[in-house]
Amino acid sequence: MRNHRFELMTDLTELGVAALRDGVAGGAFTATEVAQAFNAAVEAAQGALNAFIVTTPDAALAAAAKVDAMRAAGQPLGKMAGVPIGMKDLFATKGVQTTAASKILEGFVPPYESTVSQKLWDAGAGMLGKLNLDQFAMGSSNETSGFGKVISPWRKGDDTTPLAPGGSSGGSSAAVAARIAPAATGTDTGGSIRQPAAFTGISGIKPTYGRCSRWGVVAFASSLDQAGPMARDVRDCAIMLEAMAGFDPKDSTSLDLPVPAWEAGLNADLRGKKVGIPREYRVDGLDADVAKSWDDGIAWLKDAGAEIVDISLPHTKYALPTYYIIAPAEASSNLARYDGVRYGLRDLPEGANLQEMYAATRAAGFGDEVKRRILIGTYVLSAGFYDAYYTQAQKVRALISQDFMKAFETVDVILTPTAPSAAFPLGQKSTDPVEMYLNDVFSVPASLAGLPAMSVPAGLSRDGLPLGLHVIGRPLDEQGVLNASLALEQRAQFSAKPGKWW
Amino acid sequence: MSVNTADVAKIASLARIKVSEAQLEAMVPELNGILAWVEQLGEVDVTGVTPMTAVIPNTLRLRDDVVNADPLTGGDIRDAVLANAPVAEHGFFGVPKVIE
Amino acid sequence: MSSYRIQGATGEWEVVIGLEVHAQITTQAKLFSGSATAFGAEPNTQVSLVDAAMPGMLPVPNRECIRQAVRTGMAIDAQINKWSRFDRKNYFYADLPQGYQISQLYHPLVGEGQIEIVLDEKNPEAGTKVIGIERIHVEQDAGKLMHDQHPTMSYVDLNRSGVALMEIVSRPDMRSPAEAGAYLTKLRQILRYVGSCDGNMDQGSMRADVNVSVRRPGEEFGTRTETKNVNSVRFVMAAIEHEASRQVDVLEAGGKIVQETRLFDPGTGTTRSMRSKEDAHDYRYFPDPDLLPLELSDAFLEECRASLPELPDAKRARYTETLGLSAYNAAVLTADVDTAAWFETLITASAAKQGKDEAAVAKQAANWLTSELFGALNKLGKGLEDSPVSPEAAAELLSLVGDGTISGSIAKQVLEKMLETGDGAAAIVEREGLKQTTDTGAIEAAVDAVLAANADKVEQYRGGKEALFGFFVGQTMKAMAGKGNPQLVNQVLKAKLG
């Protein structure tokens, strides 16, 4: 009996959002059993993966107990009832330390709950803990965290070299891939949901800018930041996105629109749909594995009934430089509030005045990449350079957006690779900032245009590492993105998972 | 445009980030690398292009003039506001003395 | 006074003045958060998570702030920009939790406008001058630092942080401290009429950054200094006077004016350089990515315009032209919106009580208000706003004078009693027996007695010394304790003196 229970708990961690939700609702197992199983998995993996900054097993159990009680009382259950999730540590959680993976916020306990996390709790989800990330979501490998890097559960065969889980939502991707959380929240500014999803063989969607409230999410770049779900498959993402999205009057950029029934609307039949293949993404020296998986994806969508159309997005090559002006500019201003006065770290050297306290606090609290981006942002906004950099970048951004709008006059969705390579070893790209930035080359254009975009696992590289395919849709057409992604998922038949080496 | 040590020192001072001489030296080539890379934007013809203002077409909503309509964005929460402060005394935040 | 000149050792200098006035917009809640704006609350009690710039907090604008700024713009005939935008002004200071102030640089809500000032209220010949307004934009106020509560620390109170301000930027069109004073007074008057700012300078609801430069008459503008946060009309004038002569001294000694921020010390009437703002000004303005462009509908603008009250210039013109008031009375009564409202309630009530139209009672009311009530309140150390006599009560008093029940001099006594007791005029007149006597017999008896007692003066009067008539009137009124009807007293005296 005891043995059987243990097996059940192990098995539960193999289930995704839909299966857990349905199992709890149907009485196959209790929410408490689910929470216990994942709490145990989190505990067992934490030392090896460092996916969480803090774990909150009691919060997971409390949420589960509430769901079990509601079910027992015959009350209706929420969309995420009984599903424990990981919460990226960029979302403010009331009473639970929220750091953005920066020492400057160490010990900060918000007296408020972010809109998105509140919606998830209201939908019956529970919190396993606060997930590690690149500091202030700035990074593509999770190496910039102030609380230690996350190790990907994936390895190249028997090679034990630690690999990057992607970034910035690297704790989220590692946790979902390692089966220590069935799903996790992510945020995406230039690819921070999609690239880590691709690196770890999971799914993740960044909805249209404005779908998910930014209230209570530590800001990186306000005009780009969007929250979204990361989970095992497309359906799980659809379910969780429904719970996260929705109008919030506290966010001026929130879209005042009803949340579509994305899960119910899932349909992998793409007959009558047109899929654009942007020629500018076929860059010189594109990784052979990535090129092959892209070709596979094209074939799969054709198989699903879609018509494939060659399209041009002429300003693609300028997307990354545009992004690396706009995002640091906004960040340099958004991060000015971390000054040691009202919360977080204060470094007050002997005899220092106020301005010296600011400089010391920020020097001590921010990591190198954060400092680098603040300096770049400060520079491009400074007197004499503003027009040449920032105004020019906002004009090019408008052109990039226009490229997409023009393409969407003829196609319904666009298919590209998610990232230019599979996961790379930790430390490999951390010496040259620009080389690291190039990781976002395929994900950034959609971010600049605020478009919904999703990464789904496509297969494995020759090294046995996951590769992702990237579907970009029209503004507000998450359904089209989810449906094309579902068609890919059904044909990719991706079932690989990392060996449990921890 | 490229930056030298003095420029970086000035930027760091504007951004209120204390940097040592050694850090400055290291930052100059890094920042120049990034700046050289982003400067390719200069080659884009943007004649007649309006800078992007709203990512997704949307209009700015205005709220009603009501005090504490939503407790999450209202006042009367001094304890919560001061709870995380490194120094809070007598209902104030404390900072090193400022001479105006 | 536009020929105001500073006499330097090397000749004459002209002063050039521009004012940036920060006016707190009258609203219940802050510009971007729902916390209250009331003055004088306990520290940090009117602070929301948004105002304290907690991580992840976002601004949502208050419609009333926008509406009041638009109405103000309309009141100064300014261009209203249907498309405007908020920008961030980035700098670090302990009173600025976000590390930036949300303001409007590139696309302000209100563009070019103007205000006409009267150069000398007491001298209509001096004429008027138009002062250009460059723009009005909406922005957040900062918090407050307290430096004297602790030996080594300053204390930060964020109650004001995020309160909505209008920054009203004038052209450098003023040429003397008096012009600047007149401009500020007029601006305050307009804001109070519109209701967009209470104008309480002592509570900081309105304060001015004073830009001053000097030049030789007719030459190019000199380098200017900006004296921050001057909080009364008198101080603005004093700051200009001091700063202009300081600049002249510097220039005449061969020095250069440094473009800098200065602070006015009301104690000494001098300005000094502000150490804390020495930092190079590079505010790195850029559009606030948390806010979309602000687009105003025609319906919104129409409501703003329709809700504007009669403005000071129009009211003043109406008072002289339609109500027949003197220019002086019209100026005094329109100077403040509350005074004008009091006066208008008074004439409405007076007209009703006396069965006349407003124009017929306005002059009497204006004279009584400016000479009698203002004087009486002044003695009590009170203002019109806390007058124990309401406009309705005053109308009752004026109607008793108007219908001859009491004389003007008795009215003074009645007013005193009203102020003392709070009772109505009619009740006081009745109780104290102050009604005018129109009984001809009683008047004739009093006149007979006066003439009999002053036979010598009667002789003189009849001999041609007609100036003595007033003496007889006075004596008769005195004998009747002021209650004789003046017209009847005159008639009887005329008849008896022959």
Side-chain angles (χ1 to χ4, degrees):
Chain A
M1 181 69 205
R2 215 179 140 171
N3 210 8
H4 168 76
R5 191 43 61 176
F6 180 74
E7 272 173 29
L8 170 64
M9 286 175 73
T10 309
D11 291 341
L12 287 176
T13 62
E14 287 300 318
L15 302 179
V17 173
L20 291 169
R21 174 196 65 183
D22 295 344
V24 167
F29 40 80
T30 65
T32 302
E33 285 169 336
V34 174
Q36 285 166 344
F38 280 100
N39 278 343
V42 165
E43 180 68 32
Q46 183 57 13
L49 304 183
N50 195 34
F52 288 87
I53 294 176
V54 293
T55 58
T56 56
D58 292 344
L61 290 172
K66 203 173 150 198
V67 168
D68 288 335
M70 286 172 75
R71 184 175 178 278
Q75 289 169 350
L77 300 180
K79 290 181 202 298
M80 295 283 291
V83 183
I85 58 167
M87 184 60 61
K88 188 177 182 180
D89 200 22
L90 207 58
F91 294 85
T93 43
K94 189 172 183 172
V96 178
Q97 176 186 267
T98 299
T99 66
S102 180
K103 290 287 181 188
I104 210 159
L105 275 175
E106 190 165 20
F108 172 63
V109 179
Y112 53 97
E113 185 78 33
S114 81
T115 299
V116 163
S117 55
Q118 186 63 54
K119 279 176 173 283
L120 285 164
W121 313 146
D122 291 347
M127 180 163 71
L128 295 165
K130 299 300 291 288
L131 290 160
N132 207 344
L133 64 148
D134 276 296
Q135 192 167 147
F136 282 103
M138 297 176 188
S140 306
S141 66
N142 239 275
E143 289 163 286
T144 72
S145 169
F147 298 92
K149 49 191 103 173
V150 178
I151 312 293
S152 174
W154 286 87
R155 285 177 169 176
K156 263 187 223 174
D158 296 332
D159 186 347
T160 59
T161 308
L163 299 178
S168 66
S169 310
S172 307
S173 65
V176 175
R179 274 43 178 181
I180 63 175
T185 53
T187 62
D188 191 313
T189 305
S192 282
I193 286 175
R194 294 160 286 158
Q195 181 256 21
F199 273 23
T200 57
I202 66 166
S203 300
I205 181 168
K206 177 196 93 72
T208 309
Y209 180 83
R211 274 285 194 203
C212 289
S213 170
R214 294 183 297 112
W215 194 87
V217 185
V218 176
F220 162 14
S222 310
S223 74
L224 294 151
D225 295 345
Q226 254 305 284
M230 299 170 76
R232 306 262 164 81
D233 61 25
V234 172
R235 176 173 301 271
D236 286 2
C237 284
I239 295 167
M240 188 161 158
L241 184 58
E242 280 183 40
M244 295 168 71
F247 173 60
D248 182 1
K250 299 190 296 303
D251 175 358
S252 291
T253 58
S254 175
L255 295 167
D256 190 359
L257 296 169
V259 178
W262 287 307
E263 185 194 9
L266 285 175
N267 177 3
D269 182 353
L270 301 187
R271 280 175 297 178
K273 299 289 179 191
K274 288 183 181 168
V275 177
I277 309 298
R279 67 180 78 109
E280 289 80 6
Y281 282 57
R282 208 169 281 278
V283 289
D284 287 342
L286 181 62
D287 181 275
D289 288 339
V290 171
K292 185 191 170 294
S293 88
W294 194 8
D295 290 338
D296 288 343
I298 293 169
W300 293 332
L301 292 182
K302 218 183 270 180
D303 181 61
E307 181 189 335
I308 305 300
V309 182
D310 179 43
I311 60 166
S312 173
L313 300 169
H315 295 91
T316 298
K317 75 175 266 208
Y318 300 109
L320 267 181
T322 298
Y323 176 85
Y324 276 95
I325 288 171
I326 291 168
E330 294 183 7
S332 71
S333 178
N334 282 337
L335 270 60
R337 65 189 56 199
Y338 306 103
D339 60 6
V341 175
R342 296 164 315 286
Y343 44 78
L345 181 72
R346 168 181 291 195
D347 187 357
L348 181 60
E350 186 66 37
N353 66 24
L354 177 70
Q355 300 294 342
E356 289 159 354
M357 180 189 90
Y358 290 154
T361 297
R362 292 160 62 79
F366 290 141
D368 288 345
E369 181 61 22
V370 174
K371 289 178 189 171
R372 192 177 290 132
R373 296 205 197 183
I374 290 175
L375 294 185
I376 290 287
T378 303
Y379 180 71
V380 300
L381 291 177
S382 64
F385 301 106
Y386 174 77
D387 281 330
Y389 288 108
Y390 188 81
T391 308
Q392 178 77 4
Q394 288 291 17
K395 287 180 178 172
V396 177
R397 185 178 186 181
L399 292 173
I400 289 165
S401 183
Q402 285 165 25
D403 284 353
F404 277 112
M405 292 312 124
K406 201 158 163 247
F408 284 127
E409 286 170 13
T410 50
V411 300
D412 297 291
V413 291
I414 292 168
L415 179 72
T416 79
T418 308
S421 72
F424 48 82
L426 287 167
Q428 190 194 66
K429 293 179 192 248
S430 48
T431 46
D432 181 0
V434 174
E435 200 194 333
M436 184 69 87
Y437 299 168
L438 292 173
N439 245 282
D440 297 328
V441 64
F442 297 138
S443 54
V444 151
S447 295
L448 289 170
L451 303 172
M454 180 163 204
S455 180
V456 283
L460 296 176
S461 70
R462 279 166 292 181
D463 288 336
L465 294 178
L467 295 169
L469 281 169
H470 184 218
V471 179
I472 306 168
R474 292 192 180 98
L476 307 177
D477 188 23
E478 284 81 4
Q479 192 72 63
V481 171
L482 289 162
N483 288 351
S485 299
L486 184 64
L488 291 170
E489 180 181 275
Q490 288 174 354
R491 287 159 184 81
Q493 297 275 325
F494 185 87
S495 58
K497 62 174 186 172
K500 190 171 177 247
W501 51 264
W502 53 89
Chain B
M1 281 165 274
S2 66
V3 292
N4 58 28
T5 318
D7 297 329
V8 178
K10 193 184 145 221
I11 300 162
S13 157
L14 263 181
R16 295 297 184 281
I17 297 175
K18 190 178 175 186
V19 285
S20 66
E21 282 299 318
Q23 286 170 315
L24 273 184
E25 295 296 338
M27 281 173 174
V28 169
E30 270 178 14
L31 296 189
N32 278 328
I34 297 168
L35 290 171
W37 175 65
V38 299
E39 270 162 22
Q40 56 179 301
L41 282 194
E43 70 197 45
V44 183
D45 180 5
V46 293
T47 315
V49 177
T50 311
M52 182 178 267
T53 50
V55 188
I56 297 296
N58 196 357
T59 50
L60 184 58
R61 275 172 290 107
L62 302 173
R63 49 168 242 282
D64 293 337
D65 181 30
V66 178
V67 173
N68 301 345
D70 180 343
L72 291 175
T73 54
D76 290 334
I77 50 161
R78 177 156 83 181
D79 291 348
V81 161
L82 296 175
N84 282 283
V87 178
E89 287 181 10
H90 311 300
F92 296 95
F93 297 98
V95 297
K97 203 171 192 73
V98 178
I99 298 141
E100 279 183 325
Chain C
M1 77 186 187
S2 52
S3 59
Y4 178 87
R5 292 287 186 269
I6 296 165
Q7 299 300 330
T10 59
E12 286 195 335
W13 297 82
E14 184 181 42
V15 59
V16 175
I17 305 149
L19 295 183
E20 292 168 23
V21 173
H22 290 91
Q24 179 180 334
I25 303 176
T26 304
T27 56
Q28 300 300 310
K30 291 184 180 179
L31 177 54
F32 293 116
S33 86
S35 41
T37 57
F39 178 77
E42 285 295 300
N44 290 309
T45 54
Q46 294 180 168
V47 180
S48 68
L49 300 168
V50 179
D51 310 315
M54 291 285 166
M57 292 300 100
L58 298 170
V60 179
N62 180 338
R63 182 183 301 103
E64 183 65 8
C65 301
I66 307 302
R67 181 176 168 271
Q68 291 293 17
V70 167
R71 293 173 76 247
T72 304
M74 288 171 167
I76 59 160
D77 281 329
Q79 182 199 324
I80 307 300
N81 295 320
K82 289 178 74 174
W83 193 98
S84 68
R85 205 166 59 173
F86 288 101
D87 301 304
R88 291 184 183 177
K89 177 183 183 179
N90 295 283
Y91 65 95
F92 287 88
Y93 203 56
D95 63 7
L96 190 70
Q98 295 164 123
Y100 55 85
Q101 177 194 33
I102 306 179
S103 180
Q104 298 187 298
L105 176 70
Y106 298 108
H107 299 276
L109 183 58
V110 178
E112 295 266 351
Q114 59 183 54
I115 284 180
E116 190 179 73
I117 58 170
V118 176
L119 289 174
D120 184 355
E121 283 296 351
K122 293 183 184 94
N123 174 16
E125 302 295 305
T128 60
K129 178 171 175 175
V130 171
I131 307 297
I133 306 283
E134 187 184 310
R135 57 193 280 150
I136 301 178
H137 64 255
V138 176
E139 64 183 23
Q140 298 175 297
D141 202 353
K144 205 174 149 194
L145 292 187
M146 247 73 67
H147 305 300
D148 50 2
Q149 317 264 317
H150 190 280
T152 61
M153 278 198 288
S154 292
Y155 281 156
V156 185
D157 174 11
L158 299 178
N159 278 351
R160 287 196 69 88
S161 167
V163 166
L165 303 177
M166 288 178 279
E167 180 169 333
I168 303 159
V169 183
S170 84
R171 295 272 173 209
D173 286 350
M174 288 155 276
R175 296 288 178 270
S176 70
E179 284 184 17
Y183 166 77
L184 198 56
T185 305
K186 183 68 179 277
L187 177 60
R188 182 174 179 277
Q189 180 190 32
I190 292 171
L191 296 178
R192 284 182 48 78
Y193 267 72
V194 171
S196 57
C197 173
D198 65 22
N200 289 334
M201 297 191 82
D202 51 348
Q203 291 181 1
S205 315
M206 200 176 153
R207 53 210 200 248
D209 295 346
V210 185
N211 289 295
V212 173
S213 64
V214 295
R215 63 173 177 186
R216 297 290 188 188
E219 286 185 1
E220 294 291 299
F221 286 160
T223 304
R224 65 188 165 85
T225 62
E226 181 179 20
T227 303
K228 283 274 188 198
N229 282 337
V230 188
N231 67 351
S232 83
V233 174
R234 196 159 56 81
F235 291 162
V236 165
M237 293 168 67
I240 293 166
E241 222 161 295
H242 174 268
E243 185 54 19
S245 62
R246 186 192 69 85
Q247 290 185 14
V248 167
D249 290 347
V250 169
L251 292 171
E252 292 195 328
K256 275 197 165 144
I257 302 304
V258 185
Q259 184 163 352
E260 62 177 351
T261 305
R262 299 181 69 84
L263 204 62
F264 178 71
D265 180 347
T268 60
T270 59
T271 67
R272 65 177 166 84
S273 188
M274 239 177 133
R275 285 175 54 186
S276 58
K277 305 262 174 171
E278 266 171 8
D279 191 31
H281 292 277
D282 190 343
Y283 292 125
R284 290 157 285 134
Y285 279 98
F286 77 111
D288 191 326
D290 285 331
L291 293 161
L292 298 154
L294 174 60
E295 294 173 75
L296 302 179
S297 68
D298 290 333
F300 182 87
L301 295 179
E302 276 160 31
E303 188 284 325
C304 287
R305 194 172 291 284
S307 68
L308 279 182
E310 183 182 35
L311 293 166
D313 288 348
K315 196 180 279 293
R316 189 168 160 157
R318 180 166 66 84
Y319 280 12
T320 52
E321 287 157 22
T322 312
L323 298 182
L325 304 193
S326 68
Y328 175 79
N329 273 355
V332 169
L333 293 174
T334 57
D336 185 79
V337 64
D338 290 342
T339 307
W342 209 102
F343 172 65
E344 290 183 14
T345 312
L346 172 63
I347 57 172
T348 304
S350 269
K353 278 206 162 57
Q354 301 187 34
K356 298 178 181 167
D357 62 23
E358 291 186 0
V361 298
K363 241 174 140 165
Q364 175 207 23
N367 288 333
W368 176 81
L369 188 55
T370 54
S371 52
E372 304 297 331
L373 185 61
F374 284 173
L377 289 173
N378 206 22
K379 270 187 215 153
L380 295 173
K382 290 188 180 207
L384 194 57
E385 66 281 1
D386 45 18
S387 165
V389 172
S390 70
E392 291 76 12
E396 186 182 315
L397 175 62
L398 292 182
S399 74
L400 293 177
V401 177
D403 67 10
T405 308
I406 57 172
S407 67
S409 56
I410 290 293
K412 281 185 216 236
Q413 291 176 40
V414 175
L415 175 59
E416 267 169 39
K417 299 270 184 214
M418 288 167 77
L419 289 168
E420 236 173 75
T421 62
D423 293 340
I428 292 169
V429 167
E430 193 57 50
R431 186 174 67 219
E432 312 264 326
L434 296 173
K435 259 191 193 159
Q436 244 173 194
T437 302
T438 48
D439 172 352
T440 334
I443 292 172
E444 279 180 354
V447 167
D448 287 344
V450 167
L451 296 186
N454 297 284
D456 51 338
K457 294 212 166 60
V458 173
E459 247 353 87
Q460 289 170 20
Y461 176 83
R462 287 187 175 136
K465 204 170 176 190
E466 294 191 1
L468 278 169
F469 190 75
F471 167 81
F472 298 123
V473 173
Q475 288 299 306
T476 309
M477 291 302 272
K478 196 174 163 192
M480 298 188 73
K483 289 183 280 182
N485 178 302
Q487 280 84 36
L488 288 177
V489 169
N490 278 4
Q491 273 176 29
V492 173
L493 270 171
K494 281 237 165 78
K496 301 235 175 212
L497 286 166

